Amino acid sequence: WFYESSPATIPSGSYTGNTSDVIYVYTVSITANETWGNHGVPYLFLQGLGIGHATNPTLTLAPGVVFKFAPGGLLAVGSLAPGNLRALGTVAEPIVITGQYGTGSWGGAVVSSYADATTLFENVVMDGGAFEVQRDIGPVIRNTLTKNSGGCAITRASGTPWTTDFTAPALANTFQNN
């Protein structure tokens, strides 16, 4: 369990064989640069995850990390203050972001106005949720599968001109059942 503290401190080891094979994260805000490893079990966010602070922190995820969000949970990048996420999966070990129950009852991922072009979703599977990008900071979603969102897979906020087309073949994003 983590409450107002960071899972970045988890040492290497085996974390399976428990009643629920998850790393419970009740609430946490990322205020400094951190890297979260793949411990072979999902991170389960009971509320949500906010990345932002005056120090402009970056949360980096190791390949194969799985994030699960309880109903209503939201992944918020740069919402109230500068902050960035580097979700850097690989073809063999994509990063998976989904709901706790494999449904679309969670809020998805919002790349807000304080995030910058260092944010990157690369080789990510977004399942049961969608991306919302609030301003054009470039091709921050690449080689990513968005599926089962129940609506638009990627929503771009209106009000400013956009040059980034997340459906462009060069970005290699794919979409299923949205």
Side-chain angles (χ1 to χ4, degrees), residues 70-158:
L74 178 70
L75 172 58
V77 181
S79 287
L80 301 175
N84 299 287
L85 175 68
R86 308 274 303 161
L88 307 175
T90 65
V91 172
E93 291 185 285
I95 290 170
V96 176
I97 305 172
T98 189
Q100 178 180 6
Y101 303 110
T103 64
S105 63
W106 64 288
V110 177
V111 180
S112 297
S113 57
Y114 287 108
D116 63 39
T118 61
T119 289
L120 180 59
F121 293 85
E122 176 89 36
N123 290 304
V124 170
V125 175
M126 173 70 77
D127 190 3
F131 289 99
E132 179 183 326
V133 184
Q134 294 186 342
R135 68 183 179 93
D136 192 356
I137 55 176
V140 297
I141 303 169
R142 301 190 305 232
N143 300 302
T144 291
L145 168 61
T146 305
K147 62 183 185 174
N148 306 316
S149 72
C152 295
I154 301 174
T155 302
R156 301 180 311 178
S158 63

Coordinates of all heavy atoms in Angstrom, one line a residue, residues 70-158:
A70 N -9.2 2.5 -10.6 CA -10.5 2.2 -10.0 C -11.5 3.1 -10.8 O -11.1 4.1 -11.4 CB -10.5 2.5 -8.5
P71 N -12.8 2.8 -10.7 CA -13.8 3.6 -11.4 C -13.7 5.1 -11.0 O -13.5 5.4 -9.8 CB -15.1 3.0 -10.8 CG -14.8 1.5 -10.6 CD -13.4 1.6 -10.1
G72 N -13.7 5.9 -11.9 CA -13.6 7.3 -11.7 C -12.1 7.8 -11.7 O -11.9 9.0 -11.7
G73 N -11.1 6.9 -11.6 CA -9.7 7.3 -11.6 C -9.3 8.0 -12.9 O -9.8 7.7 -13.9
L74 N -8.3 8.8 -12.8 CA -7.8 9.6 -13.9 C -6.3 9.7 -13.8 O -5.7 9.9 -12.8 CB -8.4 11.0 -13.9 CG -8.0 12.0 -14.9 CD1 -8.6 11.6 -16.3 CD2 -8.5 13.4 -14.6
L75 N -5.6 9.6 -15.0 CA -4.2 9.8 -15.1 C -4.1 11.3 -15.6 O -4.5 11.5 -16.8 CB -3.5 8.8 -16.1 CG -2.1 9.1 -16.5 CD1 -1.2 9.2 -15.2 CD2 -1.6 8.0 -17.4
A76 N -3.6 12.2 -14.8 CA -3.5 13.6 -15.2 C -2.1 14.0 -15.2 O -1.4 14.0 -14.2 CB -4.3 14.4 -14.1
V77 N -1.7 14.5 -16.4 CA -0.3 14.9 -16.7 C -0.3 16.4 -16.9 O -0.9 16.9 -17.8 CB 0.3 14.2 -17.9 CG1 1.7 14.6 -18.1 CG2 0.2 12.7 -17.8
G78 N 0.4 17.2 -16.0 CA 0.5 18.6 -16.1 C -0.8 19.3 -16.0 O -1.1 20.3 -16.7
S79 N -1.7 18.9 -15.1 CA -3.0 19.6 -15.0 C -2.9 20.9 -14.2 O -3.4 21.9 -14.7 CB -4.0 18.7 -14.3 OG -4.4 17.7 -15.1
L80 N -2.4 20.9 -13.0 CA -2.4 22.1 -12.2 C -1.1 22.8 -12.2 O -1.0 23.9 -11.7 CB -2.9 21.8 -10.8 CG -4.3 21.1 -10.6 CD1 -4.5 20.7 -9.2 CD2 -5.3 22.1 -11.2
A81 N 0.0 22.1 -12.6 CA 1.3 22.6 -12.6 C 2.1 21.8 -13.6 O 1.7 20.8 -14.1 CB 1.9 22.5 -11.2
P82 N 3.3 22.3 -14.0 CA 4.1 21.6 -15.0 C 4.4 20.1 -14.5 O 4.7 19.9 -13.4 CB 5.4 22.4 -15.1 CG 5.0 23.8 -14.7 CD 3.9 23.6 -13.6
G83 N 4.4 19.2 -15.5 CA 4.7 17.8 -15.2 C 4.6 17.0 -16.5 O 3.9 17.4 -17.4
N84 N 5.3 15.9 -16.5 CA 5.4 15.1 -17.7 C 5.5 13.6 -17.4 O 5.9 13.2 -16.3 CB 6.6 15.5 -18.6 CG 6.6 16.9 -19.0 OD1 5.8 17.3 -19.9 ND2 7.3 17.8 -18.3
L85 N 5.0 12.8 -18.4 CA 5.1 11.3 -18.2 C 5.8 10.8 -19.4 O 5.6 11.2 -20.6 CB 3.7 10.8 -18.2 CG 3.6 9.3 -18.2 CD1 4.1 8.7 -16.9 CD2 2.1 8.8 -18.4
R86 N 6.7 9.8 -19.1 CA 7.5 9.1 -20.2 C 7.1 7.6 -20.0 O 7.6 6.9 -19.2 CB 9.0 9.3 -20.0 CG 9.5 10.7 -19.9 CD 9.8 11.4 -21.2 NE 10.7 10.6 -21.9 CZ 10.9 10.8 -23.2 NH1 10.1 11.7 -23.9 NH2 11.8 10.1 -23.9
A87 N 6.0 7.2 -20.7 CA 5.5 5.9 -20.7 C 6.2 5.2 -21.9 O 5.7 5.2 -23.0 CB 4.0 5.8 -20.8
L88 N 7.3 4.5 -21.7 CA 8.2 4.0 -22.7 C 8.2 2.5 -22.8 O 9.1 1.9 -22.3 CB 9.6 4.6 -22.6 CG 9.7 6.1 -22.4 CD1 11.2 6.5 -22.2 CD2 9.2 6.8 -23.7
G89 N 7.1 2.0 -23.3 CA 7.1 0.5 -23.5 C 7.9 0.1 -24.7 O 8.5 0.9 -25.4
T90 N 7.9 -1.2 -24.9 CA 8.5 -1.8 -26.1 C 7.5 -2.7 -26.8 O 6.4 -2.9 -26.3 CB 9.8 -2.6 -25.8 OG1 9.3 -3.8 -25.0 CG2 10.8 -1.8 -24.9
V91 N 7.8 -3.1 -28.0 CA 6.9 -4.0 -28.7 C 6.7 -5.3 -27.9 O 5.6 -5.8 -27.7 CB 7.4 -4.4 -30.1 CG1 6.6 -5.5 -30.8 CG2 7.5 -3.1 -31.0
A92 N 7.8 -5.8 -27.3 CA 7.7 -7.0 -26.5 C 7.1 -6.8 -25.1 O 6.4 -7.7 -24.5 CB 9.0 -7.7 -26.3
E93 N 7.2 -5.6 -24.6 CA 6.7 -5.2 -23.2 C 6.1 -3.9 -23.3 O 6.6 -2.9 -22.8 CB 7.9 -5.2 -22.2 CG 8.5 -6.5 -21.9 CD 9.5 -6.4 -20.8 OE1 10.6 -5.9 -21.0 OE2 9.2 -6.8 -19.6
P94 N 4.8 -3.8 -23.8 CA 4.1 -2.5 -23.9 C 3.7 -2.1 -22.5 O 3.6 -3.0 -21.6 CB 2.9 -2.8 -24.7 CG 2.7 -4.3 -24.6 CD 4.0 -4.9 -24.4
I95 N 3.5 -0.9 -22.3 CA 2.9 -0.4 -21.0 C 1.4 -0.5 -21.2 O 0.9 -0.1 -22.3 CB 3.4 1.1 -20.7 CG1 4.9 1.0 -20.3 CG2 2.5 1.7 -19.7 CD1 5.5 2.3 -20.2
V96 N 0.7 -1.0 -20.2 CA -0.8 -1.1 -20.3 C -1.4 -0.2 -19.3 O -1.0 -0.2 -18.1 CB -1.2 -2.6 -20.0 CG1 -2.7 -2.7 -20.0 CG2 -0.6 -3.5 -21.1
I97 N -2.4 0.6 -19.8 CA -3.1 1.5 -18.9 C -4.6 1.1 -19.1 O -5.1 1.2 -20.2 CB -2.9 3.0 -19.3 CG1 -1.4 3.3 -19.3 CG2 -3.6 3.9 -18.3 CD1 -1.0 4.7 -19.8
T98 N -5.3 0.7 -18.0 CA -6.6 0.2 -18.1 C -7.4 0.5 -16.8 O -6.9 1.0 -15.9 CB -6.5 -1.3 -18.4 OG1 -7.9 -1.8 -18.7 CG2 -5.9 -2.1 -17.3
G99 N -8.6 0.0 -16.8 CA -9.5 0.1 -15.7 C -9.3 -1.1 -14.7 O -8.8 -2.1 -15.2
Q100 N -9.6 -0.9 -13.5 CA -9.5 -2.0 -12.5 C -10.3 -3.2 -12.9 O -9.8 -4.3 -12.7 CB -10.0 -1.5 -11.2 CG -10.0 -2.5 -10.1 CD -10.5 -1.9 -8.7 OE1 -11.0 -0.8 -8.7 NE2 -10.4 -2.7 -7.7
Y101 N -11.4 -3.1 -13.5 CA -12.2 -4.2 -13.9 C -12.2 -4.5 -15.4 O -13.1 -5.2 -15.9 CB -13.7 -4.0 -13.4 CG -13.7 -3.8 -11.9 CD1 -14.0 -2.5 -11.4 CD2 -13.4 -4.8 -11.0 CE1 -14.0 -2.3 -10.0 CE2 -13.4 -4.6 -9.6 CZ -13.7 -3.3 -9.1 OH -13.7 -3.1 -7.8
G102 N -11.3 -3.9 -16.1 CA -11.3 -4.1 -17.5 C -12.4 -3.4 -18.3 O -12.7 -3.8 -19.4
T103 N -13.0 -2.4 -17.7 CA -14.1 -1.7 -18.3 C -13.7 -0.2 -18.5 O -12.7 0.2 -18.0 CB -15.4 -1.8 -17.5 OG1 -15.2 -1.2 -16.2 CG2 -15.8 -3.3 -17.3
G104 N -14.6 0.5 -19.1 CA -14.4 1.9 -19.4 C -14.9 2.8 -18.3 O -15.2 4.0 -18.5
S105 N -14.9 2.4 -17.0 CA -15.5 3.2 -16.0 C -14.5 4.1 -15.3 O -14.8 4.8 -14.4 CB -16.1 2.3 -14.9 OG -15.1 1.5 -14.3
W106 N -13.3 4.2 -15.8 CA -12.3 5.1 -15.3 C -12.1 6.2 -16.3 O -12.6 6.2 -17.4 CB -11.0 4.3 -15.1 CG -10.3 3.7 -16.3 CD1 -10.7 2.7 -17.1 CD2 -9.1 4.2 -16.9 NE1 -9.9 2.5 -18.1 CE2 -8.9 3.4 -18.1 CE3 -8.3 5.3 -16.7 CZ2 -7.8 3.7 -18.9 CZ3 -7.2 5.5 -17.5 CH2 -7.0 4.7 -18.6
G107 N -11.4 7.3 -15.9 CA -11.4 8.5 -16.6 C -10.4 8.6 -17.8 O -10.5 9.6 -18.5
G108 N -9.5 7.7 -18.0 CA -8.5 7.8 -19.1 C -7.3 8.7 -18.7 O -7.0 8.9 -17.5
A109 N -6.6 9.2 -19.7 CA -5.4 10.0 -19.5 C -5.6 11.3 -20.1 O -6.0 11.5 -21.3 CB -4.2 9.3 -20.2
V110 N -5.3 12.4 -19.3 CA -5.4 13.7 -19.8 C -4.0 14.3 -19.8 O -3.3 14.4 -18.8 CB -6.3 14.6 -18.9 CG1 -6.3 16.0 -19.3 CG2 -7.7 14.0 -18.8
V111 N -3.6 14.8 -21.0 CA -2.3 15.5 -21.1 C -2.7 17.0 -21.2 O -3.2 17.5 -22.2 CB -1.5 15.1 -22.4 CG1 -0.2 15.9 -22.6 CG2 -1.3 13.6 -22.4
S112 N -2.5 17.6 -20.0 CA -3.1 19.0 -19.8 C -2.1 20.1 -20.3 O -1.0 19.8 -20.8 CB -3.4 19.2 -18.3 OG -4.4 18.3 -18.0
S113 N -2.6 21.3 -20.1 CA -1.9 22.5 -20.7 C -0.5 22.7 -20.1 O 0.3 23.4 -20.7 CB -2.8 23.7 -20.5 OG -3.1 23.9 -19.1
Y114 N -0.2 22.2 -18.9 CA 1.2 22.4 -18.4 C 2.1 21.3 -18.8 O 3.3 21.4 -18.4 CB 1.1 22.5 -16.8 CG 0.5 23.8 -16.3 CD1 -0.7 23.8 -15.8 CD2 1.2 25.0 -16.4 CE1 -1.3 24.9 -15.3 CE2 0.7 26.1 -16.0 CZ -0.6 26.1 -15.4 OH -1.1 27.3 -14.9
A115 N 1.7 20.3 -19.5 CA 2.6 19.2 -20.0 C 3.4 19.8 -21.2 O 2.9 20.7 -21.8 CB 1.9 18.0 -20.4
D116 N 4.6 19.2 -21.5 CA 5.3 19.7 -22.6 C 5.7 18.5 -23.5 O 5.3 17.4 -23.2 CB 6.5 20.6 -22.2 CG 7.6 19.9 -21.4 OD1 7.8 18.7 -21.7 OD2 8.1 20.5 -20.5
A117 N 6.5 18.8 -24.6 CA 6.8 17.8 -25.6 C 7.7 16.7 -25.0 O 7.9 15.7 -25.8 CB 7.4 18.5 -26.8
T118 N 8.2 16.8 -23.8 CA 8.9 15.6 -23.3 C 8.0 14.5 -22.8 O 8.4 13.4 -22.6 CB 9.8 16.0 -22.1 OG1 9.0 16.6 -21.0 CG2 10.9 17.1 -22.5
T119 N 6.7 14.8 -22.7 CA 5.7 13.7 -22.4 C 5.7 12.8 -23.6 O 5.7 13.3 -24.8 CB 4.3 14.3 -22.2 OG1 4.4 15.0 -20.9 CG2 3.2 13.3 -22.1
L120 N 5.6 11.5 -23.4 CA 5.6 10.6 -24.5 C 4.9 9.3 -24.1 O 5.3 8.7 -23.0 CB 7.0 10.3 -25.0 CG 7.1 9.3 -26.2 CD1 6.3 9.8 -27.4 CD2 8.6 9.0 -26.5
F121 N 3.9 8.8 -24.8 CA 3.3 7.5 -24.7 C 3.8 6.7 -25.9 O 3.4 7.0 -27.1 CB 1.8 7.6 -24.8 CG 1.2 8.3 -23.6 CD1 1.1 9.7 -23.5 CD2 0.7 7.6 -22.5 CE1 0.5 10.3 -22.4 CE2 0.1 8.2 -21.4 CZ 0.0 9.6 -21.4
E122 N 4.7 5.8 -25.7 CA 5.3 5.0 -26.8 C 5.2 3.6 -26.5 O 5.6 3.1 -25.4 CB 6.8 5.4 -26.9 CG 7.6 4.6 -27.9 CD 7.6 5.2 -29.3 OE1 7.7 6.5 -29.4 OE2 7.6 4.5 -30.3
N123 N 4.6 2.8 -27.4 CA 4.3 1.4 -27.2 C 3.4 1.2 -26.0 O 3.8 0.5 -25.0 CB 5.6 0.6 -27.2 CG 6.2 0.5 -28.5 OD1 5.6 0.1 -29.5 ND2 7.4 0.9 -28.6
V124 N 2.3 1.8 -26.0 CA 1.3 1.8 -24.9 C 0.0 1.1 -25.4 O -0.4 1.3 -26.5 CB 1.1 3.2 -24.3 CG1 -0.1 3.2 -23.3 CG2 2.3 3.8 -23.7
V125 N -0.6 0.4 -24.5 CA -2.0 -0.1 -24.8 C -2.9 0.6 -23.8 O -2.8 0.5 -22.6 CB -2.1 -1.6 -24.6 CG1 -3.5 -2.1 -24.8 CG2 -1.2 -2.4 -25.5
M126 N -3.8 1.5 -24.4 CA -4.8 2.2 -23.6 C -6.1 1.4 -23.8 O -6.6 1.4 -24.9 CB -4.9 3.6 -24.1 CG -6.1 4.4 -23.5 SD -5.8 4.8 -21.8 CE -4.7 6.2 -21.9
D127 N -6.5 0.7 -22.7 CA -7.7 -0.2 -22.8 C -8.8 0.3 -21.9 O -8.6 0.4 -20.7 CB -7.3 -1.6 -22.4 CG -8.4 -2.6 -22.7 OD1 -9.4 -2.3 -23.3 OD2 -8.1 -3.8 -22.4
G128 N -10.0 0.6 -22.5 CA -11.1 1.0 -21.8 C -11.1 2.4 -21.4 O -12.0 2.9 -20.6
G129 N -10.2 3.2 -21.9 CA -10.1 4.6 -21.6 C -9.7 5.3 -22.9 O -9.4 4.7 -23.9
A130 N -9.6 6.6 -22.8 CA -9.1 7.4 -23.9 C -8.1 8.5 -23.5 O -7.9 8.7 -22.3 CB -10.4 8.1 -24.6
F131 N -7.5 9.0 -24.5 CA -6.6 10.2 -24.3 C -7.3 11.5 -24.5 O -8.1 11.6 -25.5 CB -5.4 10.1 -25.3 CG -4.4 9.0 -25.1 CD1 -4.5 7.8 -25.8 CD2 -3.4 9.1 -24.2 CE1 -3.6 6.8 -25.7 CE2 -2.5 8.1 -24.0 CZ -2.6 7.0 -24.7
E132 N -7.0 12.5 -23.7 CA -7.4 13.8 -24.0 C -6.2 14.7 -24.0 O -5.5 14.7 -23.0 CB -8.4 14.3 -22.9 CG -8.8 15.8 -23.2 CD -9.7 16.3 -22.1 OE1 -10.5 15.6 -21.5 OE2 -9.6 17.5 -21.8
V133 N -5.9 15.4 -25.1 CA -4.7 16.2 -25.2 C -5.3 17.7 -25.3 O -6.0 18.0 -26.2 CB -3.9 15.8 -26.4 CG1 -2.6 16.7 -26.5 CG2 -3.5 14.4 -26.4
Q134 N -4.9 18.5 -24.4 CA -5.4 19.8 -24.2 C -4.8 20.9 -25.1 O -5.4 22.0 -25.3 CB -5.5 20.3 -22.8 CG -6.5 19.4 -22.0 CD -6.7 19.8 -20.6 OE1 -6.0 20.6 -20.1 NE2 -7.8 19.3 -20.0
R135 N -3.5 20.7 -25.5 CA -2.9 21.6 -26.5 C -1.9 20.8 -27.3 O -1.4 19.8 -26.9 CB -2.3 22.8 -25.8 CG -1.1 22.5 -24.9 CD -0.5 23.7 -24.2 NE 0.6 23.4 -23.4 CZ 1.9 23.5 -23.8 NH1 2.2 23.9 -25.0 NH2 2.9 23.1 -23.0
D136 N -1.6 21.4 -28.5 CA -0.8 20.7 -29.4 C 0.7 20.9 -29.0 O 1.3 21.9 -29.2 CB -1.0 21.3 -30.8 CG -0.4 20.4 -31.9 OD1 0.3 19.4 -31.6 OD2 -0.6 20.7 -33.1
I137 N 1.3 19.8 -28.5 CA 2.7 19.8 -28.1 C 3.5 18.8 -28.9 O 4.6 18.4 -28.6 CB 2.9 19.5 -26.6 CG1 2.2 18.2 -26.2 CG2 2.4 20.7 -25.8 CD1 2.4 17.8 -24.7
G138 N 2.9 18.3 -30.0 CA 3.5 17.4 -31.0 C 3.1 16.0 -30.8 O 2.1 15.7 -30.1
P139 N 3.8 15.1 -31.5 CA 3.4 13.7 -31.5 C 3.7 12.9 -30.3 O 4.6 12.1 -30.2 CB 4.2 13.2 -32.7 CG 5.4 14.0 -32.8 CD 5.0 15.4 -32.3
V140 N 3.0 13.2 -29.2 CA 3.4 12.6 -27.9 C 2.7 11.3 -27.7 O 2.9 10.6 -26.7 CB 3.0 13.6 -26.7 CG1 3.8 14.9 -26.8 CG2 1.5 13.9 -26.7
I141 N 1.9 10.8 -28.7 CA 1.3 9.5 -28.6 C 1.8 8.8 -29.9 O 1.4 9.2 -31.0 CB -0.2 9.5 -28.5 CG1 -0.6 10.3 -27.3 CG2 -0.8 8.1 -28.5 CD1 -2.1 10.6 -27.3
R142 N 2.6 7.7 -29.7 CA 3.2 7.0 -30.9 C 3.2 5.5 -30.6 O 3.4 5.0 -29.5 CB 4.6 7.5 -31.1 CG 4.7 9.0 -31.4 CD 6.1 9.4 -31.9 NE 7.2 8.9 -31.0 CZ 8.1 9.7 -30.6 NH1 8.1 11.0 -30.9 NH2 9.1 9.3 -29.8
N143 N 3.0 4.7 -31.7 CA 3.0 3.3 -31.7 C 2.2 2.7 -30.5 O 2.5 1.8 -29.8 CB 4.5 2.8 -31.5 CG 5.4 3.2 -32.6 OD1 5.1 2.9 -33.7 ND2 6.4 4.0 -32.3
T144 N 1.0 3.3 -30.4 CA 0.1 3.1 -29.3 C -1.2 2.5 -29.8 O -1.8 3.0 -30.8 CB -0.1 4.3 -28.5 OG1 1.1 4.6 -27.8 CG2 -1.2 4.2 -27.4
L145 N -1.8 1.5 -29.1 CA -3.1 0.9 -29.4 C -4.1 1.5 -28.4 O -3.9 1.4 -27.2 CB -3.0 -0.6 -29.3 CG -4.4 -1.3 -29.2 CD1 -5.1 -1.1 -30.5 CD2 -4.2 -2.8 -29.0
T146 N -5.1 2.1 -28.9 CA -6.2 2.6 -28.0 C -7.4 1.8 -28.4 O -7.8 1.8 -29.5 CB -6.5 4.1 -28.2 OG1 -5.3 4.8 -28.0 CG2 -7.5 4.6 -27.2
K147 N -8.0 1.1 -27.4 CA -9.1 0.2 -27.7 C -10.2 0.3 -26.6 O -9.9 0.6 -25.4 CB -8.7 -1.2 -27.8 CG -8.0 -1.9 -26.6 CD -7.5 -3.3 -26.9 CE -7.0 -4.0 -25.7 NZ -6.6 -5.4 -25.9
N148 N -11.4 0.0 -27.0 CA -12.6 -0.1 -26.1 C -12.8 1.2 -25.3 O -13.2 1.1 -24.1 CB -12.4 -1.3 -25.1 CG -12.1 -2.6 -25.8 OD1 -12.8 -2.9 -26.8 ND2 -11.1 -3.3 -25.4
S149 N -12.6 2.3 -25.9 CA -12.7 3.6 -25.2 C -14.2 4.0 -24.9 O -14.4 4.9 -24.1 CB -12.0 4.7 -25.9 OG -12.7 5.1 -27.1
G150 N -15.1 3.5 -25.7 CA -16.5 3.9 -25.5 C -16.8 5.2 -26.2 O -17.9 5.8 -26.0
G151 N -15.8 5.8 -26.9 CA -16.0 7.1 -27.5 C -14.8 7.3 -28.4 O -14.2 6.4 -29.0
C152 N -14.4 8.6 -28.5 CA -13.2 8.9 -29.3 C -12.0 8.4 -28.6 O -11.8 8.5 -27.3 CB -13.1 10.4 -29.5 SG -14.4 11.1 -30.4
A153 N -11.0 7.8 -29.3 CA -9.8 7.3 -28.7 C -8.9 8.4 -28.3 O -8.2 8.3 -27.2 CB -9.1 6.4 -29.7
I154 N -8.8 9.4 -29.1 CA -7.9 10.6 -28.7 C -8.8 11.8 -29.0 O -9.2 12.1 -30.1 CB -6.6 10.6 -29.5 CG1 -5.8 9.4 -29.3 CG2 -5.8 11.9 -29.2 CD1 -4.6 9.2 -30.2
T155 N -9.0 12.6 -28.0 CA -9.7 13.9 -28.1 C -8.7 15.0 -28.0 O -7.9 15.1 -27.1 CB -10.8 14.0 -27.0 OG1 -11.6 12.9 -27.1 CG2 -11.5 15.3 -27.1
R156 N -8.8 15.9 -29.0 CA -7.9 17.1 -29.0 C -8.8 18.3 -28.6 O -9.9 18.5 -29.2 CB -7.3 17.4 -30.4 CG -6.5 16.2 -30.8 CD -5.8 16.5 -32.2 NE -6.8 17.0 -33.2 CZ -6.5 17.3 -34.4 NH1 -5.3 17.2 -34.8 NH2 -7.5 17.7 -35.2
A157 N -8.4 19.1 -27.6 CA -9.2 20.2 -27.2 C -9.3 21.3 -28.3 O -8.4 21.4 -29.1 CB -8.5 20.8 -25.9
S158 N -10.4 21.9 -28.3 CA -10.6 22.9 -29.3 C -10.1 24.3 -28.8 O -9.7 24.4 -27.7 CB -12.1 23.0 -29.7 OG -12.8 23.4 -28.5

